[in-house]
């Protein structure tokens, strides 16, 4: 009689691994798979909007940017302007991405820069309002020109310059709205685009 090989009971800890190997599924590579083997405790990359109040003096912006570049942190968007002419303070709005630990490091290190008065993480402090202004130059004629004007009306974009060959549209809204308008303008003759970056404020009192 041939030897009997004991088969592990269903639910054995190696079942998922064996099945993944048989189906050539690599860990963490397919979030749509029925066999999602990604570590649920792994840190995820998050998008955060930071508002930084600083003294309006030479070199402050360079020091803030240097903090990000020197440590390899990413900046998706950056806007800065003086907000208090009497107190000579400026507001820097930074959109960055990173794991929760990296975001905490960024906030802590920003707070240690001498000219920085306040650091607010608008993403975690509560609901906020984000807006961005963008300009689009679109070249087109005939049906494409008509379609560009029709879409601009739907998105409530303003025509701020017009020639026989092109339009310049101005649009204000969320980054997602600006992105959507850009994608629709590309096949219609989008040639140039300029974006201000995100300005953000927390909601409420």
């Amino acid at each position: 009689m041939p030897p009997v090989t004991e088969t592990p009971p269903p639910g054995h800890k190696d079942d998922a691994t064996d099945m993944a190997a048989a189906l050539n599924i690599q860990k963490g590579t397919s979030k749509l798979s029925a066999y999602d083997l990604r570590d649920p405790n792994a840190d995820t990359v998050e998008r955060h909007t930071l508002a930084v109040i600083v003294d309006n003096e030479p070199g402050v912006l360079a020091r803030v940017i240097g903090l990000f570049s020197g440590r390899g942190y990413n900046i998706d968007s950056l806007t800065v302007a003086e907000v208090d002419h009497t107190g000579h303070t400026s507001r820097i709005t930074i959109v960055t991405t990173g794991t929760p630990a990296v975001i905490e490091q960024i906030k802590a290190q920003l707070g240690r820069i001498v000219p920085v008065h306040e650091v607010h993480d608008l993403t975690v402090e509560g609901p906020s309002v984000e807006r961005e202004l963008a300009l689009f130059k679109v070249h087109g004629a005939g049906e494409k020109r008509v379609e560009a004007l029709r879409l601009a009306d739907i998105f409530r974009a303003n025509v701020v310059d017009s020639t026989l060959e092109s339009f310049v549209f101005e649009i204000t809204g969320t980054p997602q709205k600006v992105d959507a308008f850009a994608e629709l303008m590309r096949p219609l003759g989008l040639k140039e685009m300029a974006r201000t970056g995100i300005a953000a404020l927390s909601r409420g009192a």
Side-chain angles (χ1 to χ4, degrees):
M1 179 182 293
V4 178
T5 302
E6 184 178 351
T7 303
H12 187 266
K13 65 179 181 179
D14 290 332
D15 285 354
T17 303
D18 294 342
M19 185 170 291
L23 296 176
N24 194 27
I25 297 174
Q26 297 181 359
K27 184 176 180 180
T29 59
S30 178
K31 65 181 180 179
L32 299 178
S33 171
Y35 305 98
D36 188 356
L37 304 179
R38 293 174 300 167
D39 183 358
N41 298 317
D43 286 337
T44 57
V45 175
E46 302 173 347
R47 174 186 178 275
H48 284 246
T49 302
L50 308 178
V52 186
I53 306 300
V54 301
D55 288 332
N56 184 17
E57 61 183 41
V60 176
L61 183 59
R63 294 180 66 181
V64 171
I65 295 175
L67 184 153
F68 280 78
S69 62
R71 291 165 175 80
Y73 300 147
N74 186 52
I75 296 179
D76 293 336
S77 171
L78 185 147
T79 60
V80 58
E82 188 175 61
V83 292
D84 184 352
H85 299 300
T86 303
H88 301 291
T89 56
S90 296
R91 183 184 182 99
I92 303 174
T93 304
I94 303 169
V95 178
T96 186
T97 54
T99 63
V102 167
I103 297 298
E104 290 303 317
Q105 289 177 5
I106 291 173
K107 291 188 289 185
Q109 290 167 2
L110 282 173
R112 287 198 288 266
I113 297 178
V114 174
V116 172
H117 295 285
E118 302 173 26
V119 178
H120 296 280
D121 189 343
L122 300 181
T123 302
V124 300
E125 291 182 3
S128 61
V129 179
E130 294 186 357
R131 291 294 183 269
E132 183 176 11
L133 184 143
L135 298 175
F136 295 87
K137 181 181 287 186
V138 180
H139 289 208
E143 293 183 0
K144 288 188 176 181
R145 187 178 178 92
V146 173
E147 180 66 7
L149 286 171
R150 187 185 70 83
L151 291 172
D153 184 61
I154 294 173
F155 278 78
R156 298 183 180 179
N158 298 317
V159 178
V160 294
D161 183 70
S162 177
T163 70
L164 296 176
E165 298 178 348
S166 67
F167 290 110
V168 174
F169 296 110
E170 174 192 271
I171 186 171
T172 304
T174 64
Q176 293 79 13
K177 177 182 177 180
V178 175
D179 289 339
F181 187 71
E183 288 304 311
L184 291 173
M185 288 295 111
R186 292 188 197 281
L188 299 177
L190 177 61
K191 296 300 181 183
E192 292 183 66
M193 174 173 53
R195 301 174 69 154
T196 61
I198 294 172
L201 287 174
S202 59
R203 292 179 180 269

